[in-house]
RNA sequence: GAGGGUGUAGCUCAGCCGGUAGAGCAACGGCCUUUUAAGCCGUGGGUCCAGGGUUCGAUUCCCUGCACCCUCACCA
C-alpha cells in the first residue's frame, strides 16, 4: 500500500498542504457524523415550482467534479443515490467557508447545507451556506468525464484497465457507475432467491466450510492445517453431503447459500472461491426440482428485471417456463447424429475420434461422453434447457433411473451454453452409495485427483435411513453473469482472486 | 499447461528504422460571481514493468522473469 507513494508524491503533497491549511484554520479534515436531510436523488426529485419557498437541504458525498471560477464555483457531490450539483458563491457564504471551498479537491468527501435552486442551464443545484469536510482525499481518483449528447453518454478517459479495476475495486465502484449497478443486482438476485426459498418453507442452514473430509463434487480441494488439533482440514468443495445429513436428521427442506472453494484453473467462468446455493427437499425427486428451478428463476428474473425476456450479449434470454427438456442421449443424438446410449468404451472412443475430440483423461465411458457432450452439445444450448438422465459413472451421488438402465435421475440446466444448475433425485440406498464410492476410489487409484473420497460418516448416516429427496445446486456467480449481461465471472465478484502485485522498488526500500 | 497480445506522466493513449519521450485530461500559478467533458494564459511532472544481453549509446532490438487480457486445454 505504501510502496507507490513516492511515484505520486507531488500530487499527494499538494493535497497534504491543503489539509494542513485546513487544520490551521481550525477545521478537522476528517469529520465525524453528518446529518443529512436528503440524498442526491431525493433532491433531484424535489418540487421546485415557482412561488414555493426554496427548500433547505443537507447532503453529503464525494466530490466528482469541480469547476471553480474566481468568486464562485460548482461541484458535483456523489452519494449512493447519484449526483447533485452544489454551488458556492463568495458573497453568499462567510469568508471561512469560501476559503475551505477553495481548498477542496476531486475525491474529497464533504457535507453541505443550503437551499435548492435551478441554474440558468436548468440543473438542480444546492447553493451552499455551510460546508463540512468529512474526509480529505490524498490520492487522485481516475475520475471519468462524461458528456450527454443527443441522449448518448460520451465518456472520456474512462478508468478501463481491467487489472487496476479488479485490484482496486473501491476505485472502480466510485468512478464506473455500471459496476455498482451490477453488484446491486447481485444483491437483489440473492435476496430474491432467499425470499423464494423461505416462502416455500425451507430452512436456511450453515454447514462447515472447514472439513476433515471433502466431498459432493469432483474437484481438487484447498488444504489447510489446524494447529491445536494438529490435523489437515479441507475447504469445502460442495455443501451436499452435510445438507443431506440434515435431511437424515429430520429436516425436510434445507438450503445454504455460501462459498465453495476449488483448487483449479481460473478463467472467465471460474474463480477459486465462488458462491453456491444448494437445496434438498425430502420426499421429492428431480421432476419436482426441475419445476422449482423454472419457477424460481422466473421469479428472480421478474424481481430484478420486471420481465422474463432479458438482453444478453448480442442476443437475449427468455426465462419463461417451461424450459425445453431433453435427455442426455437425445441431446447428443440431436447434435451429432450418433446414438451413443449403451455403447462400450471402444465404440465411444471411435465416435469421439470421428468428431475430432481429443482430451487428456478419456479413461472411462463417462469421461468420453462428457467430452463429446461439452464439445458438441453445450454450445447449442442457448435458451434455458434441461438436460436429463445422465450416465451413472459421472453421477456417483444420484439415484439410478427408475425405468432406464445405465443412467441416473439427474438434470442440468443450461443457458447460453453454460451450465447453470445441477440436480438429482438423490441416492438414498447406502449399499449402492458404497459401491459408487468404491468405484470412485478405483478412479482415484488410477490417478484421477478429482475422484471422490469415501466418506464413512456419510455412509453411516445413510444407513440410519435417508428419505428419498430432490437435491439442487445453482452457481450464483454464473446466474448473476446471465442476469447482468456480464462476460466474465470477475465482473460479478467484488474482489476476484488476483496474483499479488510485486513491486521491486518497494522491496529494496523497506 | 500451450499459443497470442498488452505493460510509456495520477487517468486515457501516441511515439521511438536505436541517440535517455509527447498529447488530452488531472495537478500547480494567474484571470474569471449560474458553470457543466467550463474557458484562456503559463508552469511542473516520467528508473518508458523488472533483470540481463547486443551496442559508443536501449524506452526502442534480443533473452529471461513478472502481471494482466484474449484463445485453447484442464475444470463445474
Amino acid at each position: 500500500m505504501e510502496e507507490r507513494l513516492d511515484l505520486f508524491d507531488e500530487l499527494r503533497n499538494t493535497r497534504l498542504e491543503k489539509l494542513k491549511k485546513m487544520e490551521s484554520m481550525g477545521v478537522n479534515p476528517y469529520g465525524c457524523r453528518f446529518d443529512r436531510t436528503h440524498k442526491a436523488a431525493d433532491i433531484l426529485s424535489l418540487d421546485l415550482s415557482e412561488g414555493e419557498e426554496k427548500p433547505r437541504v443537507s447532503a453529503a458525498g464525494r466530490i466528482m467534479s469541480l469547476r471553480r471560477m474566481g468568486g464562485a464555483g460548482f461541484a458535483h457531490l456523489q452519494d449512493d443515490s447519484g449526483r447533485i450539483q452544489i454551488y458556492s458563491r463568495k458573497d453568499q457564504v462567510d469568508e471561512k467557508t469560501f476559503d475551505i471551498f477553495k481548498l477542496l479537491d476531486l475525491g474529497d468527501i464533504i457535507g453541505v447545507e443550503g437551499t435548492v435552486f435551478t441554474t440558468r442551464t436548468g440543473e438542480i443545484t444546492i447553493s451552499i451556506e455551510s460546508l463540512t469536510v468529512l474526509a480529505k482525499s490524498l490520492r487522485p481518483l481516475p475520475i471519468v468525464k462524461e458528456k450527454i449528447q443527443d441522449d448518448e453518454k460520451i465518456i472520456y478517459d474512462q478508468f478501463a484497465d481491467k487489472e487496476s479495476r479488479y485490484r482496486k475495486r473501491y476505485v472502480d465502484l466510485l468512478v464506473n457507475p455500471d459496476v455498482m449497478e451490477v453488484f446491486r443486482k447481485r444483491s437483489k438476485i440473492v435476496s430474491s432467491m432467499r425470499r423464494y426459498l423461505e416462502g416455500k418453507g425451507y430452512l436456511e442452514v450453515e454447514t462447515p466450510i472447514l472439513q476433515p473430509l471433502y466431498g459432493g463434487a469432483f474437484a481438487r480441494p484447498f488444504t489447510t492445517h489446524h494447529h491445536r488439533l494438529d490435523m489437515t482440514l479441507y475447504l469445502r468443495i460442495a455443501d451436499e453431503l452435510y445438507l443431506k445429513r440434515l435431511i437424515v436428521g429430520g429436516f425436510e427442506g434445507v438450503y445454504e447459500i455460501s462459498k465453495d472453494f476449488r483448487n483449479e484453473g481460473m478463467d472467465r467462468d471460474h474463480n477459486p472461491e465462488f458462491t453456491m446455493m444448494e437445496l434438498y427437499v425430502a420426499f421429492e425427486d428431480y421432476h419436482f426440482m426441475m419445476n422449482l428451478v423454472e419457477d424460481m428463476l422466473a421469479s428472480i428474473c421478474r424481481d430484478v428485471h420486471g420481465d422474463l425476456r432479458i438482453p444478453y450479449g448480442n442476443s437475449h434470454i427468455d426465462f419463461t417456463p417451461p424450459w425445453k427438456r431433453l435427455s442426455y442421449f437425445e441431446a447428443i443424438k440431436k447434435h451429432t447424429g450418433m446414438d451413443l446410449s449403451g455403447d462400450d468404451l471402444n465404440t465411444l472412443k471411435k465416435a469421439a475420434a470421428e468428431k475430432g475430440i481429443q482430451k487428456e483423461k478419456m479413461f472411462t465411458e463417462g469421461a468420453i461422453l462428457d467430452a463429446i457432450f461439452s464439445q458438441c452439445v453445450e454450445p447449442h444450448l442457448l435458451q434455458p434447457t434441461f438436460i436429463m438422465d445422465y450416465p451413472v459413472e459421472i453421477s456417483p451421488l444420484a439415484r439410478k433411473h427408475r425405468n432406464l438402465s445405465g443412467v441416473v435421475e439427474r438434470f442440468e440446466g443450461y443457458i447460453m451454453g453454460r451450465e447453470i444448475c445441477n440436480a438429482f433425485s438423490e441416492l438414498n440406498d447406502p449399499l449402492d452409495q458404497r459401491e459408487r464410492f468404491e468405484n470412485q476410489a478405483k478412479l482415484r487409484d488410477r490417478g484421477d485427483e478429482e475422484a471422490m473420497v469415501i466418506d464413512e460418516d456419510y455412509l453411516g448416516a445413510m444407513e440410519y435411513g435417508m428419505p428419498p429427496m430432490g437435491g439442487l445446486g445453482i452457481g450464483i456467480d454464473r446466474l448473476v453473469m446471465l442476469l447482468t449481461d456480464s462476460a466474465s465471472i470477475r465482473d460479478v465478484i467484488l474482489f476476484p482472486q488476483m496474483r499479488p502485485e510485486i513491486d521491486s522498488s518497494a522491496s529494496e526500500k523497506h
Side-chain angles (χ1 to χ4, degrees):
Chain A
M1 190 156 157
E2 308 300 322
E3 70 269 24
R4 292 184 68 214
L5 288 186
D6 46 331
L7 294 179
F8 46 69
D9 256 355
E10 198 179 317
L11 292 167
R12 187 167 177 269
N13 282 340
T14 61
R15 289 178 174 223
L16 279 171
E17 275 162 30
K18 291 179 186 176
L19 181 143
K20 282 182 194 134
K21 268 187 206 163
M22 285 180 180
E23 282 172 336
S24 70
M25 291 163 68
V27 172
N28 179 355
Y30 296 97
C32 44
R33 62 169 273 120
F34 184 82
D35 278 312
R36 289 189 282 180
T37 60
H38 295 70
K39 288 197 181 186
D42 302 330
I43 297 169
L44 294 177
S45 59
L46 286 175
D47 177 17
L48 296 175
S49 46
E50 296 281 328
E52 301 281 325
E53 198 175 320
K54 284 181 181 168
R56 287 188 63 79
V57 298
S58 59
R62 190 183 290 271
I63 297 174
M64 298 300 280
S65 75
L66 194 53
R67 297 176 292 282
R68 267 188 298 244
M69 319 157 278
F74 289 88
H76 277 97
L77 236 49
Q78 174 172 293
D79 64 22
D80 74 0
S81 75
R83 290 185 186 183
I84 181 73
Q85 180 166 260
I86 63 171
Y87 172 62
S88 177
R89 196 165 133 180
K90 198 171 186 173
D91 60 9
Q92 281 185 353
V93 293
D94 61 70
E95 199 176 327
K96 184 175 166 189
T97 300
F98 198 75
D99 285 343
I100 296 167
F101 186 80
K102 285 197 288 192
L103 292 172
L104 295 176
D105 285 302
L106 287 170
D108 289 354
I109 297 169
I110 63 170
V112 299
E113 199 182 338
T115 54
V116 181
F117 74 108
T118 306
T119 63
R120 272 180 212 158
T121 50
E123 182 162 352
I124 293 173
T125 302
I126 306 172
S127 177
I128 67 174
E129 285 161 20
S130 73
L131 186 161
T132 310
V133 181
L134 300 172
K136 185 87 190 98
S137 166
L138 299 180
R139 295 189 180 198
L141 275 175
I143 283 182
V144 174
K145 295 198 155 197
E146 50 195 51
K147 174 165 76 171
I148 311 279
Q149 193 172 57
D150 306 328
D151 283 344
E152 291 279 308
K153 197 197 269 185
I154 304 172
I155 295 177
Y156 298 84
D157 300 339
Q158 180 158 36
F159 178 59
D161 178 65
K162 285 192 179 176
E163 181 177 353
S164 315
R165 288 181 47 214
Y166 296 144
R167 288 188 193 280
K168 299 199 180 207
R169 183 68 92 181
Y170 40 91
V171 174
D172 191 27
L173 286 164
L174 276 172
V175 304
N176 292 324
D178 296 350
V179 175
M180 190 172 268
E181 197 45 41
V182 165
F183 290 101
R184 286 215 167 98
K185 273 192 186 150
R186 180 173 179 132
S187 176
K188 264 192 192 171
I189 290 163
V190 173
S191 73
S192 173
M193 182 178 284
R194 263 205 181 90
R195 222 175 310 130
Y196 181 92
L197 294 169
E198 207 178 317
K200 295 276 179 195
Y202 305 138
L203 187 74
E204 182 167 15
V205 296
E206 294 171 87
T207 64
I209 291 174
L210 287 175
Q211 307 182 343
L213 211 59
Y214 60 94
F218 302 110
R220 287 176 61 187
F222 284 93
T223 306
T224 186
H225 186 261
H226 190 287
H227 296 303
R228 195 61 181 272
L229 296 174
D230 189 22
M231 68 183 287
T232 297
L233 288 170
Y234 303 96
L235 272 64
R236 71 163 162 222
I237 59 172
D239 306 4
E240 178 152 355
L241 300 184
Y242 280 96
L243 291 174
K244 279 151 85 170
R245 282 173 171 93
L246 292 177
I247 300 291
V248 169
F251 289 117
E252 295 189 358
V254 291
Y255 70 97
E256 180 163 13
I257 300 176
S258 62
K259 291 276 178 73
D260 287 346
F261 305 84
R262 298 187 185 175
N263 208 341
E264 291 164 350
M266 294 161 59
D267 59 36
R268 74 173 124 163
D269 289 310
H270 300 262
N271 194 62
E273 59 180 293
F274 61 100
T275 305
M276 277 289 278
M277 191 287 289
E278 289 194 32
L279 167 69
Y280 295 85
V281 181
F283 309 118
E284 296 293 356
D285 64 5
Y286 76 141
H287 293 293
F288 170 88
M289 279 297 173
M290 241 179 285
N291 295 334
L292 183 140
V293 168
E294 280 173 352
D295 187 52
M296 178 168 71
L297 293 192
S299 160
I300 293 169
C301 187
R302 205 178 290 118
D303 268 2
V304 175
H305 287 280
D307 197 356
L308 293 182
R309 201 182 139 96
I310 60 163
Y312 191 81
N314 299 323
S315 175
H316 74 279
I317 303 169
D318 190 345
F319 280 94
T320 310
W323 297 10
K324 273 181 277 179
R325 298 183 184 196
L326 164 90
S327 85
Y328 188 82
F329 287 106
E330 277 166 15
I332 291 180
K333 195 172 170 186
K334 181 173 171 188
H335 293 285
T336 64
M338 301 187 292
D339 186 352
L340 302 179
S341 54
D343 282 359
D344 63 22
L345 194 61
N346 282 332
T347 320
L348 288 172
K349 275 186 177 164
K350 273 181 213 151
E354 204 176 299
K355 287 286 162 189
I357 295 166
Q358 199 47 260
K359 289 222 181 184
E360 285 170 24
K361 295 189 312 189
M362 300 212 298
F363 318 131
T364 63
E365 288 91 340
I368 298 172
L369 283 167
D370 208 33
I372 294 173
F373 187 85
S374 316
Q375 201 130 331
C376 301
V377 181
E378 280 185 20
H380 299 287
L381 305 176
L382 300 177
Q383 292 305 318
T385 305
F386 289 125
I387 299 295
M388 304 160 61
D389 303 335
Y390 281 67
V392 63
E393 313 89 83
I394 57 174
S395 317
L397 300 168
R399 186 185 197 288
K400 282 177 184 150
H401 198 283
R402 59 197 86 173
N403 301 319
L404 306 170
S405 66
V407 300
V408 291
E409 295 194 357
R410 170 184 180 185
F411 72 85
E412 295 196 356
Y414 284 88
I415 303 176
M416 289 294 138
R418 199 179 263 135
E419 180 205 332
I420 190 74
C421 68
N422 185 14
F424 339 127
S425 298
E426 300 293 340
L427 176 56
N428 69 336
D429 173 346
L431 305 176
D432 188 355
Q433 184 67 73
R434 180 173 293 279
E435 216 172 287
R436 308 270 197 103
F437 272 149
E438 280 164 1
N439 284 334
Q440 287 292 310
K442 279 180 207 152
L443 286 179
R444 179 163 277 273
D445 290 344
R446 282 158 66 182
D448 184 352
E449 285 182 79
E450 284 164 3
M452 291 184 186
V453 290
I454 298 180
D455 188 332
E456 285 295 345
D457 182 74
Y458 176 69
L459 287 169
M462 286 181 90
E463 291 197 0
Y464 281 100
M466 177 185 275
M469 69 180 103
L472 167 71
I474 295 186
I476 300 294
D477 310 276
R478 291 187 189 171
L479 178 64
V480 174
M481 286 168 70
L482 291 172
L483 292 174
T484 57
D485 196 359
S486 299
S488 165
I489 199 167
R490 290 186 155 184
D491 293 325
V492 301
I493 291 177
L494 282 166
F495 299 99
Q497 200 61 49
M498 305 284 280
R499 280 209 169 77
E501 273 181 300
I502 296 164
D503 190 321
S504 52
S505 63
S507 52
E508 283 164 19
K509 277 188 161 179
H510 297 287

